[in-house]
């Protein structure tokens, strides 16, 4: 199974999102973090589980009505590119 690699940008995105949520609800931030991590954890076994992305060659996982992550599947690894709030303009 291919490893999952988080890009610097994706780690930054996740940190910003969790910090924002944590100010309002520490348990909510933990819940979102767990949802995202659990979903990403399934990727090595099922890399094409989620819908095709808006950018060619990408895939998008909706882990909560408000949060998605964008990734690419390559032969050597799965790369998490971004973690976004659904209202963010992307691409």
């Amino acid at each position: 199974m291919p490893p999952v690699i988080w890009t610097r940008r994706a780690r930054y995105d996740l940190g910003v999102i969790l910090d924002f949520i944590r100010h309002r609800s520490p348990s909510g931030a933990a819940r979102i973090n767990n949802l995202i991590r659990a979903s990403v954890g399934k990727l090595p076994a099922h890399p094409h589980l989620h819908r095709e992305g808006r950018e060619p060659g990408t895939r998008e996982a909706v882990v909560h009505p408000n949060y998605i992550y964008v990734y690419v599947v390559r032969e050597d690894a799965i790369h998490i590119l971004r973690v976004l709030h659904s209202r963010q303009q992307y691409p």
Side-chain angles (χ1 to χ4, degrees):
M1 287 192 275
V4 174
I5 298 171
W6 287 71
T7 63
R8 183 178 303 191
R9 180 61 194 241
R11 287 191 314 266
Y12 174 80
D13 289 342
L14 182 58
V16 168
I17 287 168
L18 294 177
D19 285 346
F20 178 80
I21 297 169
R22 195 173 291 116
H23 287 293
R24 291 169 168 62
S25 171
S27 64
R31 202 167 32 253
I32 293 299
N33 187 42
N34 290 339
L35 283 172
I36 292 170
R37 300 284 181 176
S39 178
V40 169
K42 296 175 186 175
L43 291 178
H46 306 285
H48 298 285
L49 178 64
H50 302 288
R51 70 183 185 200
E52 289 186 20
R54 289 169 260 188
E55 286 288 311
T58 65
R59 302 195 73 79
E60 296 178 7
V62 178
V63 294
H64 178 276
N66 292 328
Y67 300 100
I68 67 169
Y69 64 88
V70 181
Y71 66 100
V72 295
V73 178
R74 298 201 176 114
E75 284 187 35
D76 63 330
I78 298 164
H79 297 265
I80 308 300
L81 303 177
R82 300 291 310 268
V83 181
L84 304 165
H85 188 281
S86 60
R87 290 188 183 179
Q88 283 180 269
Q89 188 172 1
Y90 173 82

